[in-house]
Amino acid sequence: MFIRAKALVQKQPQRLLFSTQSWVQQQAQLPAELEERVSQTLDAMRTNGTYKAERIITTPQEASIQVEGSGSNVVNFCANNYLGLANHPQVVERASEYLHKWGNGLSSVRFICGTQAIHKQLEDKITQFYSRKQSDTILYASCFDANAGVFESLLTEKDAVISDSLNHASIIDGVRLSRARRFRYRNGDVEDLDAKLTQAKDEGCRVKLVVTDGVFSMDGVIAPLRDVCDVVERHQAVLVVDDAHATGVVGETGRGTGEYWGVAPRIHLVNSTLGKALGGASGGYTSGNSLLIELLRNTSRPYLFSNTLAPSVVGAAAAALDILSSQQGTPLLERLWANAKHFRQRMSEAGFELAGKDHAIIPVMLGDARKATQMANALLKRGIYVIGFSYPVVPKDQARIRVQMSAAHSTEQIDHAVDAFVEVGRDLHVIPN
Ligand SMILES: *Cc1c(COP(=O)(O)O)cnc(C)c1O
């Protein structure tokens, strides 16, 4: 075999790996129907204002960044960089150290030959972070993947998922992949959750799994987990919480919504991300009941069929968790809450209507979609980078600007933002002159 292959190679004329042709080749033609449909869809999005034009950042992700097309630096209030770790020197250093020591990547999924010692160490670190008995953690390439894997693995067509109506898109997609019956309860409404659990039982569903975001990120609202836990336990159901906007942010030591409500041991599984507070790169995990985690490692499709997390990303997340668990953690969280409180207070005093509570996401409610866009654009001109959200991301006539605090912001930067909001708010008649 080997000799024949070698002979073949020798007989092949030399071929260039990359084309040196100076002309550009034509794209394969699309079927007319598809081309027309896609063009119309995009045009409609441009017309109704839902087309997403990405702004290009020309610096690392920090409190103050540079955005292509706007000359000077702007203060960034739209990243999930809650602790300011996205470009923290210790995080970058550990990422670089792991890159050099462990290589760029594994070219494999975990179960074939993609598990290094550092992957197990990070899983253990996350398990310890939650410090619950009989628990384990499984890493994913993203929290989106964690949500894509969990429901299909755990549930059959005899079971039920009861999902909060405002849950993240990745939960909705993950639930769709499972064959379980689907129920939806009104956002944060435990009475409706109770009713849906009763309905699922009456309809003969066996295992009933309740899933909720820990924090509803468009509203900056924390899910009422203590009441949710009571209802879940009364129905002997299973609880999965997606804590993407809570890990490293919510709770006295940043351990999430379980810590905030004092119910961490009552949550069966926590899904979360390494791509927000914990260093901001990428990666996600499911942490909790070790029996369930063992099954996920064996059947979860995004785990089995997608590449292992890059060593540099593992290093960055490990460093972020170390910072949070060390003496450095408390001052970061204190800074974050002081910033959030200061912004809330000054904005309320200025007459703005704010939503949410106890979170670094502070939505400034405007109602009108055009006003939200105009306001965001005017703020950018004044050096404040925020994003307006409107339908269909939030309900009609509830357009808003979502402001996200970070421990990396200085008081001066927050005051600058409030001053800019006040100026623009007066111009646009959002607040009285
Ligand atoms: C951001 C987010 C995700 C996706 O996290 P990735 O790790 O970026 O895939 C999932 N769920 C919720 C609630 C989120 O906010």
Side-chain angles (χ1 to χ4, degrees), residues 265-300:
R266 300 165 70 186
I267 300 168
H268 295 99
L269 294 174
V270 173
N271 282 358
S272 196
T273 183
L274 306 173
K276 289 183 171 128
L278 298 183
S282 61
Y285 60 84
T286 300
S287 188
N289 184 290
S290 52
L291 186 73
L292 302 185
I293 301 294
E294 191 180 351
L295 181 77
L296 291 174
R297 242 185 253 292
N298 283 277
T299 60
S300 176

Side-chain angles (χ1 to χ4, degrees), residues 28-50:
Q29 272 223 323
L30 287 174
E33 187 181 338
L34 180 65
E35 182 157 5
E36 202 178 308
R37 195 197 306 156
V38 171
S39 302
Q40 280 171 2
T41 304
L42 289 169
D43 285 344
M45 291 168 100
R46 282 186 198 98
T47 311
N48 67 26
T50 55

Side-chain angles (χ1 to χ4, degrees), residues 80 82 140-147 166-171 212-217 242-246 271-276 281-285 361 402:
N80 309 309
Y82 298 115
Y140 283 94
S142 68
C143 184
F144 202 109
D145 280 352
N147 284 329
L166 284 192
N167 275 346
H168 190 260
S170 56
I171 296 178
T212 179
D213 277 14
V215 173
F216 298 98
S217 62
D242 179 340
D243 242 2
H245 281 280
N271 282 358
S272 196
T273 183
L274 306 173
K276 289 183 171 128
S282 61
Y285 60 84
I361 294 171
R402 185 175 78 170

Side-chain angles (χ1 to χ4, degrees), residues 107-301:
S107 294
S108 170
V109 300
R110 290 285 299 277
F111 86 95
I112 296 180
C113 59
T115 300
Q116 289 173 318
I118 51 173
H119 295 95
K120 295 311 285 182
Q121 284 158 13
L122 180 58
E123 287 177 340
D124 289 346
K125 203 185 270 294
I126 294 169
T127 307
Q128 279 159 24
F129 179 67
Y130 290 105
S131 61
R132 294 179 293 182
K133 282 188 179 157
Q134 282 116 35
S135 65
D136 196 359
T137 301
I138 174 174
L139 287 176
Y140 283 94
S142 68
C143 184
F144 202 109
D145 280 352
N147 284 329
V150 69
F151 306 103
E152 189 192 17
S153 282
L154 299 186
L155 303 173
T156 73
E157 69 278 4
K158 295 196 177 78
D159 304 326
V161 185
I162 301 96
S163 177
D164 188 286
S165 62
L166 284 192
N167 275 346
H168 190 260
S170 56
I171 296 178
I172 295 169
D173 286 9
V175 168
R176 275 195 201 133
L177 292 170
S178 87
R179 284 179 299 160
R181 289 277 315 275
R182 296 174 214 157
F183 298 85
R184 218 161 69 124
Y185 67 97
R186 280 192 299 275
N187 174 235
D189 184 338
V190 281
E191 276 172 35
D192 196 31
L193 169 63
D194 194 17
K196 294 291 154 40
L197 277 161
T198 304
Q199 190 188 343
K201 181 181 160 220
D202 290 347
E203 292 179 16
C205 297
R206 306 292 287 269
V207 173
K208 292 167 282 290
L209 185 152
V210 174
V211 57
T212 179
D213 277 14
V215 173
F216 298 98
S217 62
M218 285 299 143
D219 301 333
V221 166
I222 298 174
L225 286 192
R226 200 177 297 153
D227 297 337
V228 168
C229 283
D230 288 346
V231 174
V232 163
E233 282 162 14
R234 210 169 333 116
H235 287 268
Q236 294 182 300
V238 177
L239 178 60
V240 179
V241 174
D242 179 340
D243 242 2
H245 281 280
T247 306
V249 186
V250 171
E252 205 183 320
T253 64
R255 270 138 176 99
T257 52
E259 182 182 34
Y260 178 88
W261 291 109
V263 298
R266 300 165 70 186
I267 300 168
H268 295 99
L269 294 174
V270 173
N271 282 358
S272 196
T273 183
L274 306 173
K276 289 183 171 128
L278 298 183
S282 61
Y285 60 84
T286 300
S287 188
N289 184 290
S290 52
L291 186 73
L292 302 185
I293 301 294
E294 191 180 351
L295 181 77
L296 291 174
R297 242 185 253 292
N298 283 277
T299 60
S300 176
R301 294 168 70 82

Side-chain angles (χ1 to χ4, degrees), residues 330-340 406-412 414:
T330 313
L332 285 179
L333 284 162
E334 281 171 358
R335 178 87 231 169
L336 177 64
W337 295 119
N339 285 348
S406 169
H409 292 133
S410 65
T411 310
E412 294 71 45
I414 292 174

